[in-house]
Amino acid sequence: MVISIPESKSRARTNISQVITLTDRMDYLNPLGNNLVYCLAVEKLLGLEVPKRAQYIRVMMVELQRISSHLVWLGTHAIDLGAMTVFLYCFREREEILKIFELFTGQRMMTSYIRIGGVALDPLLAGGWQLSVS
């Protein structure tokens, strides 16, 4: 990955935990993936051990983000082929994933949910999430 001079300058003025919000904006379709990669690198450098529960939550959220990203890809490519119905189905399903993100993190996109050492909020604090997800 190539980092531009303004990007590297903005990172030089921030501490390691503040960079997470910048990784969100690198790829707006998969911000959680970028959060995870950055946090894994920092945790490895610092020798931090992340709790298993946080690791599971991270993987679950990143996989949902990946599916959401693929739905955007499929929908936009289908519309290029003239398949408007596929586009509508893809974005309907993506909307359900974004609702899960909003329930867990309070945000639909650019969540900055994955943090160094774990996640920002425990899903148990989001009451009733099991019913919403099922």
Side-chain angles (χ1 to χ4, degrees):
M1 172 169 68
V2 177
I3 297 176
S4 67
I5 300 226
E7 266 185 87
S8 64
K9 290 288 185 190
S10 67
R11 288 193 183 126
R13 291 188 301 263
T14 59
N15 66 36
I16 58 173
S17 64
Q18 291 173 323
V19 175
I20 293 170
T21 58
L22 298 175
T23 62
D24 271 344
R25 281 119 182 112
M26 295 169 118
D27 177 8
Y28 69 93
L29 289 178
N30 189 20
L32 288 173
N34 292 331
N35 290 165
L36 181 61
V37 170
Y38 176 74
C39 288
L40 288 174
V42 171
E43 289 161 359
K44 187 172 185 178
L45 287 171
L46 296 176
L48 293 177
E49 183 68 32
V50 179
K52 283 288 185 195
R53 178 177 171 80
Q55 290 177 14
Y56 293 141
I57 293 169
R58 284 175 164 187
V59 169
M60 179 183 68
M61 296 298 279
V62 169
E63 287 301 314
L64 283 172
Q65 186 77 74
R66 185 180 60 81
I67 293 168
S68 172
S69 175
H70 282 71
L71 287 169
V72 171
W73 167 81
L74 179 60
T76 55
H77 282 288
I79 207 166
D80 287 342
L81 298 172
M84 184 69 175
T85 306
V86 175
F87 171 78
L88 294 173
Y89 282 143
C90 287
F91 273 70
R92 180 191 67 189
E93 298 307 318
R94 180 176 181 260
E95 183 66 25
E96 294 303 314
I97 293 173
L98 292 180
K99 286 179 186 176
I100 293 170
F101 289 157
E102 188 173 13
L103 184 66
F104 273 54
T105 68
Q107 299 276 4
R108 294 167 56 84
M109 296 179 67
M110 312 306 173
T111 61
S112 299
Y113 182 65
I114 297 174
R115 303 289 171 88
I116 297 167
V119 293
L121 300 168
D122 192 330
L124 290 179
L125 300 177
W129 68 270
Q130 293 97 338
L131 291 174
S132 299
V133 173
S134 61

